[in-house]
Amino acid sequence: MKKICLLNDIPDREARTFSYDDNYSMLVYRNGDNIYAYINSCPHAGVPLEWNADHFMSMDGLLLQCGTHGAQFEPPTGKCVYGPCKGAHLHKIDTKIVDKTIYRV
Ligand code: FES
């Protein structure tokens, strides 16, 4: 397992960016004690999703949104529910929380 961050490093119902590999970053979304992590690459055109640094959420705060063409994704599933890649999914990264620390597994 590789440590990502502490659970409390991510504000509730927001996402933050972390390094993944030489080509991609990953985004980690928190909802209480639940964490959902994805490669930070939109299935539409392969660009990072955030509007500005660590700014991933739609106006209503419920969905992850791509800043380029506005695709919106369900945080728990990574499924695009609105926009040009509707039905596509973000690439999920397996994580685990141990003692309030988030790990990539
Ligand atoms: S690149 Fe994300 S919606 Fe087009």
Side-chain angles (χ1 to χ4, degrees):
M1 293 196 303
K2 181 176 180 184
K3 179 180 174 181
I4 299 174
C5 67
L6 300 177
L7 182 63
N8 286 338
D9 288 340
I10 305 174
D12 197 21
R13 296 176 190 257
E14 289 191 26
R16 291 292 181 264
T17 311
F18 299 92
S19 63
Y20 181 72
D21 64 16
D22 290 341
N23 297 314
Y24 296 104
S25 62
M26 63 180 169
L27 67 94
V28 182
Y29 173 84
R30 175 185 179 193
N31 186 348
D33 288 337
N34 296 306
I35 290 294
Y36 307 100
Y38 301 98
I39 300 286
N40 186 15
S41 177
C42 180
H44 180 224
V47 300
L49 274 74
E50 65 267 45
W51 304 73
N52 295 306
D54 290 325
H55 189 168
F56 288 93
M57 304 313 294
S58 58
M59 292 297 282
D60 60 8
L62 298 177
L63 299 168
L64 298 164
Q65 183 165 334
C66 178
T68 301
H69 307 113
Q72 295 184 335
F73 303 85
E74 296 174 330
T77 65
K79 181 179 180 181
C80 180
V81 294
Y82 174 83
C85 51
K86 187 174 180 180
H89 286 78
L90 298 171
H91 182 89
K92 188 174 186 347
I93 299 168
D94 290 330
T95 57
K96 185 173 187 176
I97 300 172
V98 179
D99 294 333
K100 298 205 176 280
T101 301
I102 304 168
Y103 294 91
R104 196 171 129 194
V105 295

